[in-house]
Amino acid sequence: MCGIIGYVGNKEIIPILLEGLHSLEYRGYDSSGIAIHEGNSLNVVKAAGKLNCLEEILKNNGTKNGKNGHVNCGVGHTRWATHGEASDINAHPHFDRDEKIAVVHNGIIRNYQEVRENLLKAGVHFVSETDTEVIVQLISYNFKNSKSLLHAICTSVNELDGSFALGILFKQEPDKIYAVRKESPIIIGMGENENYLASDSATLSLFVNKIIRLGDNEIAEITKDKVKLYSFKGEEIKKSPQTVTKSNDFLDKKGFKHHLIKEISEQADVISNLLSNHLSATSKDKSARVKLDYINLNPDLLKNIDRILILACGTAYHAGLIGKFVLENLTGIPTEVQFASEFLNTKSLLTKKSLVIGISQSGETADTLSAVKKAKDTGTTFVAITNNPHSELANLAKDHLLISKAGIEVSVAATKTFTAQITMLYLLAIYIAETIGSKKEKSLDLLKQELRLLPQLIDQTILRAEQYQEQVLKYADKPDFVFIGRGINYPIALEAALKLKELSYIHASGYASGEMKHGPIAVLDPKVPVVSIVVPGETYDRVLQNSMEAKSRHAPMIAVAVDGDKKADSIFDTVLHIPPVIEIASPFLTVIPLQFLAYYIAEHLERDIDQPRNLAKSVTVE
Ligand code: F6R
């Protein structure tokens, strides 16, 4: 989704804004632009397309970098189109009529039509189709009756309904950026005699190690050596900065062709780190319970929990489905998983005895935040799993926070953060089971032992990448794929279909394998490969049986199966082998060849792997 960067300080400004915009590219965008103070005016340059289009214009039109040693001030933006196509005109920043105020925006203005109509009646002229333009025109309109721009901003934001993070420049205040937050994330980075503004802390970590998260309904006035915070009523607020680790290498592909393949390859290390942080090295130490540092769940409270609800979107939702399986299996507590955007319906079912788990890689997904806030209002206990400790979700979780520590995921499609999320869910399930005594110590020890083996098994699976590549490319011309799995591998079928769609734009569906014969089987023919996840265990025979039904309809047959599975070798046209693994731990391995399948087919089709069309990494609108 849209990304915002801002800078005020003595350094040359354009290289900083461009570096910031490049670091925000992973969020997904289709146009970009900057606004800087130049001489006595505000200079706006913007372009549809990728950042190189903006860079080309900046090179050719003589926009100054801003002199070293002078106060330079400006904002930049990557736009993911919502209202109006991706065009030069709709790109941000947007000006008011007098070109005195420039605004960049991430989010959505729900009442923009109403505001626009009122402004049109008052004689305001609009040039773009965006909801953003109403913000700048409204501030400009209200400024006529205001004692300051801050006052005009306060009046205007109170008239707007929606979610918005804003960066605002004002011609008459050439050394100042205003930032506004309502729901959508925006963070201030604090340096020595310079300050920054960005949509995420990863971008700020390129420049500084101190940040201030703007809270909901807050405004910041940022100059090079001061940050003042205000409420939407204009009252001053005090906040202390948080520390972040300065990091300038997360955009480095480290020799890999794409971030995605790098991130797939990092999964063994990610899981190994998480396990060693939370699980002792051996089961011999009987006191070695799972340790979850930022979880402060009282054992009496846990013993009373009668229902768990997991709220998440997309890949995080699939992780939640695996979590349901493991939580129910280990704790016996009925667990439900809901798309965060569908949560409206079950709010009334939550009580003080419920436990709600919100899962979000970014911690900024608007649907998830909105559902979690509603759930929290019921007084339920809330645990968050996120990869972003500086996110709003982490902020909402306070005492009950699980950080998935997968490192920054740059590719839009989630891979390593998915396996990190499921790791945290397994650890949470064991933690609850150990606290409430729902499962025998011996069987928990056996599971922990299996988990400890995972990093090595994942490594062995990743080493088979080339073999998978050769096996899957013969299916790259197929227009449709069906993925099937059962039990704990049904969510992997859903996740594999999502990955293939996102990366290759090939249509794909995931089904619980038993459901195939209830309808989806109608689509099968020799052009539609069926990919079955068949791991030894309770579901094995049934998935094989369902696969045979597909084979009888002449669908090309692919399986993910363990080494030495002779039955699978004889039934399927192609078997993507994984090392032997027990069923309950199998999703960590079965997902990997399917991530590779999506990657290699997409690469063969020359897709934009790290930034697939129409997608955004951090979906900050509902
Ligand atoms: C899929 C993907 C999305 C996200 C979803 C939720 O590859 O990345 O489906 O999983 O948008 O995002 P988070 O986890 O940030 O809430």
PDB file of all heavy atoms in Angstrom, residues 313-316 359-363 365 368 412-414 421 495 498-499 502 616-617 619, ligand 1:
ATOM      1  N   CYS A 313      -5.638 -12.317   8.277  1.00  0.00           N
ATOM      2  CA  CYS A 313      -5.990 -12.223   6.859  1.00  0.00           C
ATOM      3  C   CYS A 313      -4.944 -12.969   6.025  1.00  0.00           C
ATOM      4  O   CYS A 313      -3.776 -13.047   6.418  1.00  0.00           O
ATOM      5  CB  CYS A 313      -5.948 -10.774   6.374  1.00  0.00           C
ATOM      6  SG  CYS A 313      -6.931  -9.647   7.322  1.00  0.00           S
ATOM      7  N   GLY A 314      -5.351 -13.425   4.854  1.00  0.00           N
ATOM      8  CA  GLY A 314      -4.424 -13.979   3.858  1.00  0.00           C
ATOM      9  C   GLY A 314      -3.579 -15.112   4.410  1.00  0.00           C
ATOM     10  O   GLY A 314      -4.082 -16.053   5.051  1.00  0.00           O
ATOM     11  N   THR A 315      -2.286 -15.009   4.177  1.00  0.00           N
ATOM     12  CA  THR A 315      -1.361 -16.052   4.624  1.00  0.00           C
ATOM     13  C   THR A 315      -1.400 -16.212   6.143  1.00  0.00           C
ATOM     14  O   THR A 315      -1.308 -17.334   6.658  1.00  0.00           O
ATOM     15  CB  THR A 315       0.059 -15.704   4.129  1.00  0.00           C
ATOM     16  OG1 THR A 315       0.071 -15.894   2.709  1.00  0.00           O
ATOM     17  CG2 THR A 315       1.118 -16.576   4.746  1.00  0.00           C
ATOM     18  N   ALA A 316      -1.548 -15.112   6.855  1.00  0.00           N
ATOM     19  CA  ALA A 316      -1.606 -15.196   8.327  1.00  0.00           C
ATOM     20  C   ALA A 316      -2.849 -15.988   8.756  1.00  0.00           C
ATOM     21  O   ALA A 316      -2.830 -16.699   9.767  1.00  0.00           O
ATOM     22  CB  ALA A 316      -1.626 -13.790   8.923  1.00  0.00           C
ATOM     23  N   ILE A 359      -3.108 -12.385  14.381  1.00  0.00           N
ATOM     24  CA  ILE A 359      -1.831 -12.699  13.704  1.00  0.00           C
ATOM     25  C   ILE A 359      -1.675 -11.750  12.516  1.00  0.00           C
ATOM     26  O   ILE A 359      -2.571 -11.650  11.673  1.00  0.00           O
ATOM     27  CB  ILE A 359      -1.799 -14.144  13.164  1.00  0.00           C
ATOM     28  CG1 ILE A 359      -2.261 -15.147  14.228  1.00  0.00           C
ATOM     29  CG2 ILE A 359      -0.393 -14.507  12.672  1.00  0.00           C
ATOM     30  CD1 ILE A 359      -2.375 -16.574  13.711  1.00  0.00           C
ATOM     31  N   SER A 360      -0.534 -11.083  12.457  1.00  0.00           N
ATOM     32  CA  SER A 360      -0.266 -10.212  11.313  1.00  0.00           C
ATOM     33  C   SER A 360       1.234  -9.998  11.191  1.00  0.00           C
ATOM     34  O   SER A 360       1.865  -9.507  12.128  1.00  0.00           O
ATOM     35  CB  SER A 360      -0.974  -8.871  11.495  1.00  0.00           C
ATOM     36  OG  SER A 360      -0.529  -7.956  10.534  1.00  0.00           O
ATOM     37  N   GLN A 361       1.777 -10.362  10.051  1.00  0.00           N
ATOM     38  CA  GLN A 361       3.197 -10.149   9.780  1.00  0.00           C
ATOM     39  C   GLN A 361       3.543  -8.686   9.992  1.00  0.00           C
ATOM     40  O   GLN A 361       4.419  -8.346  10.768  1.00  0.00           O
ATOM     41  CB  GLN A 361       3.467 -10.609   8.335  1.00  0.00           C
ATOM     42  CG  GLN A 361       4.847 -10.394   7.776  1.00  0.00           C
ATOM     43  CD  GLN A 361       5.150  -8.985   7.359  1.00  0.00           C
ATOM     44  OE1 GLN A 361       6.146  -8.432   7.816  1.00  0.00           O
ATOM     45  NE2 GLN A 361       4.312  -8.372   6.551  1.00  0.00           N
ATOM     46  N   SER A 362       2.821  -7.810   9.302  1.00  0.00           N
ATOM     47  CA  SER A 362       3.134  -6.377   9.339  1.00  0.00           C
ATOM     48  C   SER A 362       2.689  -5.736  10.642  1.00  0.00           C
ATOM     49  O   SER A 362       3.237  -4.725  11.070  1.00  0.00           O
ATOM     50  CB  SER A 362       2.431  -5.665   8.189  1.00  0.00           C
ATOM     51  OG  SER A 362       1.022  -5.814   8.336  1.00  0.00           O
ATOM     52  N   GLY A 363       1.664  -6.308  11.250  1.00  0.00           N
ATOM     53  CA  GLY A 363       1.090  -5.687  12.442  1.00  0.00           C
ATOM     54  C   GLY A 363       0.316  -4.422  12.115  1.00  0.00           C
ATOM     55  O   GLY A 363      -0.095  -3.678  13.007  1.00  0.00           O
ATOM     56  N   THR A 365      -2.137  -4.432   9.321  1.00  0.00           N
ATOM     57  CA  THR A 365      -3.252  -4.749   8.423  1.00  0.00           C
ATOM     58  C   THR A 365      -4.547  -4.185   9.001  1.00  0.00           C
ATOM     59  O   THR A 365      -4.958  -4.542  10.116  1.00  0.00           O
ATOM     60  CB  THR A 365      -3.336  -6.276   8.230  1.00  0.00           C
ATOM     61  OG1 THR A 365      -2.115  -6.690   7.640  1.00  0.00           O
ATOM     62  CG2 THR A 365      -4.490  -6.679   7.340  1.00  0.00           C
ATOM     63  N   THR A 368      -7.291  -6.564  10.274  1.00  0.00           N
ATOM     64  CA  THR A 368      -6.923  -7.273  11.504  1.00  0.00           C
ATOM     65  C   THR A 368      -6.991  -6.322  12.702  1.00  0.00           C
ATOM     66  O   THR A 368      -7.534  -6.674  13.759  1.00  0.00           O
ATOM     67  CB  THR A 368      -5.514  -7.891  11.359  1.00  0.00           C
ATOM     68  OG1 THR A 368      -5.495  -8.649  10.162  1.00  0.00           O
ATOM     69  CG2 THR A 368      -5.153  -8.771  12.542  1.00  0.00           C
ATOM     70  N   VAL A 412       6.704  -9.098  -1.471  1.00  0.00           N
ATOM     71  CA  VAL A 412       5.305  -8.885  -1.078  1.00  0.00           C
ATOM     72  C   VAL A 412       4.658 -10.189  -0.606  1.00  0.00           C
ATOM     73  O   VAL A 412       3.934 -10.225   0.388  1.00  0.00           O
ATOM     74  CB  VAL A 412       4.511  -8.255  -2.254  1.00  0.00           C
ATOM     75  CG1 VAL A 412       3.015  -8.334  -1.999  1.00  0.00           C
ATOM     76  CG2 VAL A 412       4.920  -6.798  -2.422  1.00  0.00           C
ATOM     77  N   ALA A 413       4.935 -11.285  -1.302  1.00  0.00           N
ATOM     78  CA  ALA A 413       4.318 -12.566  -0.911  1.00  0.00           C
ATOM     79  C   ALA A 413       5.027 -13.107   0.338  1.00  0.00           C
ATOM     80  O   ALA A 413       6.254 -13.155   0.404  1.00  0.00           O
ATOM     81  CB  ALA A 413       4.418 -13.565  -2.054  1.00  0.00           C
ATOM     82  N   ALA A 414       4.229 -13.521   1.293  1.00  0.00           N
ATOM     83  CA  ALA A 414       4.790 -13.981   2.575  1.00  0.00           C
ATOM     84  C   ALA A 414       5.267 -15.429   2.469  1.00  0.00           C
ATOM     85  O   ALA A 414       4.553 -16.292   1.960  1.00  0.00           O
ATOM     86  CB  ALA A 414       3.714 -13.875   3.646  1.00  0.00           C
ATOM     87  N   GLN A 421       5.264 -17.630  11.800  1.00  0.00           N
ATOM     88  CA  GLN A 421       3.984 -17.524  12.527  1.00  0.00           C
ATOM     89  C   GLN A 421       3.555 -18.892  13.048  1.00  0.00           C
ATOM     90  O   GLN A 421       3.113 -19.020  14.191  1.00  0.00           O
ATOM     91  CB  GLN A 421       2.892 -16.981  11.591  1.00  0.00           C
ATOM     92  CG  GLN A 421       2.981 -15.488  11.357  1.00  0.00           C
ATOM     93  CD  GLN A 421       2.167 -15.022  10.149  1.00  0.00           C
ATOM     94  OE1 GLN A 421       1.661 -15.821   9.368  1.00  0.00           O
ATOM     95  NE2 GLN A 421       2.057 -13.718   9.991  1.00  0.00           N
ATOM     96  N   GLU A 495      -2.657 -22.245   1.177  1.00  0.00           N
ATOM     97  CA  GLU A 495      -1.508 -21.354   1.095  1.00  0.00           C
ATOM     98  C   GLU A 495      -0.763 -21.548  -0.230  1.00  0.00           C
ATOM     99  O   GLU A 495      -0.327 -20.576  -0.854  1.00  0.00           O
ATOM    100  CB  GLU A 495      -0.577 -21.606   2.301  1.00  0.00           C
ATOM    101  CG  GLU A 495       0.735 -20.852   2.313  1.00  0.00           C
ATOM    102  CD  GLU A 495       0.603 -19.331   2.286  1.00  0.00           C
ATOM    103  OE1 GLU A 495      -0.508 -18.804   2.468  1.00  0.00           O
ATOM    104  OE2 GLU A 495       1.632 -18.668   2.049  1.00  0.00           O
ATOM    105  N   LEU A 498      -2.686 -19.842  -2.942  1.00  0.00           N
ATOM    106  CA  LEU A 498      -2.522 -18.380  -2.832  1.00  0.00           C
ATOM    107  C   LEU A 498      -1.160 -17.953  -3.382  1.00  0.00           C
ATOM    108  O   LEU A 498      -1.057 -16.992  -4.150  1.00  0.00           O
ATOM    109  CB  LEU A 498      -2.671 -17.947  -1.360  1.00  0.00           C
ATOM    110  CG  LEU A 498      -2.497 -16.457  -1.084  1.00  0.00           C
ATOM    111  CD1 LEU A 498      -3.594 -15.634  -1.746  1.00  0.00           C
ATOM    112  CD2 LEU A 498      -2.505 -16.168   0.419  1.00  0.00           C
ATOM    113  N   LYS A 499      -0.101 -18.697  -3.009  1.00  0.00           N
ATOM    114  CA  LYS A 499       1.253 -18.328  -3.473  1.00  0.00           C
ATOM    115  C   LYS A 499       1.327 -18.390  -4.991  1.00  0.00           C
ATOM    116  O   LYS A 499       1.882 -17.498  -5.634  1.00  0.00           O
ATOM    117  CB  LYS A 499       2.300 -19.280  -2.913  1.00  0.00           C
ATOM    118  CG  LYS A 499       2.965 -19.083  -1.601  1.00  0.00           C
ATOM    119  CD  LYS A 499       3.484 -17.777  -1.149  1.00  0.00           C
ATOM    120  CE  LYS A 499       2.423 -16.775  -0.786  1.00  0.00           C
ATOM    121  NZ  LYS A 499       2.234 -16.492   0.614  1.00  0.00           N
ATOM    122  N   GLU A 502      -0.645 -15.430  -6.516  1.00  0.00           N
ATOM    123  CA  GLU A 502       0.011 -14.139  -6.300  1.00  0.00           C
ATOM    124  C   GLU A 502       1.222 -13.960  -7.206  1.00  0.00           C
ATOM    125  O   GLU A 502       1.439 -12.893  -7.766  1.00  0.00           O
ATOM    126  CB  GLU A 502       0.514 -14.043  -4.852  1.00  0.00           C
ATOM    127  CG  GLU A 502      -0.554 -13.870  -3.833  1.00  0.00           C
ATOM    128  CD  GLU A 502       0.050 -13.773  -2.439  1.00  0.00           C
ATOM    129  OE1 GLU A 502       0.795 -14.689  -2.030  1.00  0.00           O
ATOM    130  OE2 GLU A 502      -0.220 -12.785  -1.763  1.00  0.00           O
ATOM    131  N   ALA A 616      -0.200  -5.461  -2.396  1.00  0.00           N
ATOM    132  CA  ALA A 616       0.483  -4.585  -1.445  1.00  0.00           C
ATOM    133  C   ALA A 616       0.950  -5.425  -0.266  1.00  0.00           C
ATOM    134  O   ALA A 616       0.278  -6.370   0.117  1.00  0.00           O
ATOM    135  CB  ALA A 616      -0.478  -3.516  -0.956  1.00  0.00           C
ATOM    136  N   LYS A 617       2.093  -5.086   0.267  1.00  0.00           N
ATOM    137  CA  LYS A 617       2.635  -5.868   1.382  1.00  0.00           C
ATOM    138  C   LYS A 617       1.871  -5.599   2.668  1.00  0.00           C
ATOM    139  O   LYS A 617       1.611  -6.497   3.448  1.00  0.00           O
ATOM    140  CB  LYS A 617       4.115  -5.502   1.556  1.00  0.00           C
ATOM    141  CG  LYS A 617       4.820  -6.255   2.667  1.00  0.00           C
ATOM    142  CD  LYS A 617       5.178  -7.650   2.216  1.00  0.00           C
ATOM    143  CE  LYS A 617       5.808  -8.478   3.297  1.00  0.00           C
ATOM    144  NZ  LYS A 617       5.620  -9.916   3.025  1.00  0.00           N
ATOM    145  N   VAL A 619      -1.479  -4.083   4.034  1.00  0.00           N
ATOM    146  CA  VAL A 619      -2.788  -3.652   3.514  1.00  0.00           C
ATOM    147  C   VAL A 619      -3.471  -2.774   4.561  1.00  0.00           C
ATOM    148  O   VAL A 619      -4.160  -3.265   5.449  1.00  0.00           O
ATOM    149  CB  VAL A 619      -3.649  -4.863   3.107  1.00  0.00           C
ATOM    150  CG1 VAL A 619      -4.950  -4.411   2.472  1.00  0.00           C
ATOM    151  CG2 VAL A 619      -2.874  -5.742   2.132  1.00  0.00           C
TER     152      VAL A 619
HETATM  153  C1  F6R B   1       0.221 -13.429   0.970  1.00  0.00           C
HETATM  154  C2  F6R B   1       0.274 -12.226   1.761  1.00  0.00           C
HETATM  155  C3  F6R B   1      -1.006 -11.651   2.271  1.00  0.00           C
HETATM  156  C4  F6R B   1      -0.849 -11.300   3.746  1.00  0.00           C
HETATM  157  C5  F6R B   1      -2.104 -10.574   4.268  1.00  0.00           C
HETATM  158  C6  F6R B   1      -1.997 -10.275   5.749  1.00  0.00           C
HETATM  159  O1  F6R B   1       1.467 -13.795   0.475  1.00  0.00           O
HETATM  160  O2  F6R B   1       1.320 -11.706   2.000  1.00  0.00           O
HETATM  161  O3  F6R B   1      -2.074 -12.533   2.097  1.00  0.00           O
HETATM  162  O4  F6R B   1      -0.626 -12.466   4.456  1.00  0.00           O
HETATM  163  O5  F6R B   1      -2.265  -9.378   3.573  1.00  0.00           O
HETATM  164  O6  F6R B   1      -0.873  -9.502   6.013  1.00  0.00           O
HETATM  165  P1  F6R B   1      -0.321  -9.347   7.479  1.00  0.00           P
HETATM  166  O7  F6R B   1       0.221 -10.682   7.895  1.00  0.00           O
HETATM  167  O8  F6R B   1       0.739  -8.296   7.397  1.00  0.00           O
HETATM  168  O9  F6R B   1      -1.474  -8.952   8.336  1.00  0.00           O
END
